Amino acid sequence: MTGFRTDWRFDEIFTEDMLMQFDADGDGQINGQESDTIAAETLPNLAQFHYFTHVAIDGERLELFAPSGFLARVGGDALHFTLSFTLPAPLDPRHQNLRLEISDREYYVEVLMAE
């Protein structure tokens, strides 16, 4: 395993607010340039919260590392943030233990793991 990807799906209120702020062409979608603007505006703030992503390998917590990729998009009626993370070194889950926590420790959010 060399990394992982998270997909954050936001509720309709946050989606509408973000579209009003960042959908420059008003088409109800987020294009590449708009996604880059969202990244520039939101990632520095999310860094303060470790992107709500906490990783440990064999019990040793990894220091904060930034996403290696970011994409904002509209899927269905919801805004999504897709964040990709690259591990510092590949790991073999048959021989190493990966602990991945995605949570906001101060505010309730629903986190669902992909099957």
Side-chain angles (χ1 to χ4, degrees), residues 55-104:
V55 180
I57 298 174
D58 292 331
E60 185 175 327
R61 183 174 174 201
L62 296 181
E63 293 301 316
L64 175 65
F65 56 100
S68 53
F70 174 87
L71 176 66
R73 64 180 173 79
V74 175
D77 293 332
L79 176 68
H80 292 252
F81 285 1
T82 301
L83 294 92
S84 301
F85 294 88
T86 302
L87 295 173
L91 80 93
D92 184 344
R94 295 172 295 185
H95 304 289
Q96 293 173 284
N97 182 27
L98 172 69
R99 181 175 170 272
L100 175 60
E101 175 189 336
I102 302 169
S103 67
D104 183 341

Side-chain angles (χ1 to χ4, degrees), residues 8-93:
W8 301 0
R9 181 176 53 91
F10 295 98
D11 67 18
E12 62 277 353
I13 295 170
F14 187 77
T15 296
E16 184 177 322
D17 182 58
M18 292 294 284
L19 286 173
M20 286 181 10
Q21 289 183 60
F22 295 104
D23 181 17
D25 58 14
D27 67 354
Q29 298 295 314
I30 298 295
N31 63 35
Q33 184 176 4
E34 294 163 344
S35 178
D36 291 345
T37 302
I38 291 171
E41 293 286 326
T42 61
L43 289 179
N45 183 53
L46 291 172
Q48 297 175 51
F49 303 99
H50 301 267
Y51 309 96
F52 303 111
T53 304
H54 308 278
V55 180
I57 298 174
D58 292 331
E60 185 175 327
R61 183 174 174 201
L62 296 181
E63 293 301 316
L64 175 65
F65 56 100
S68 53
F70 174 87
L71 176 66
R73 64 180 173 79
V74 175
D77 293 332
L79 176 68
H80 292 252
F81 285 1
T82 301
L83 294 92
S84 301
F85 294 88
T86 302
L87 295 173
L91 80 93
D92 184 344

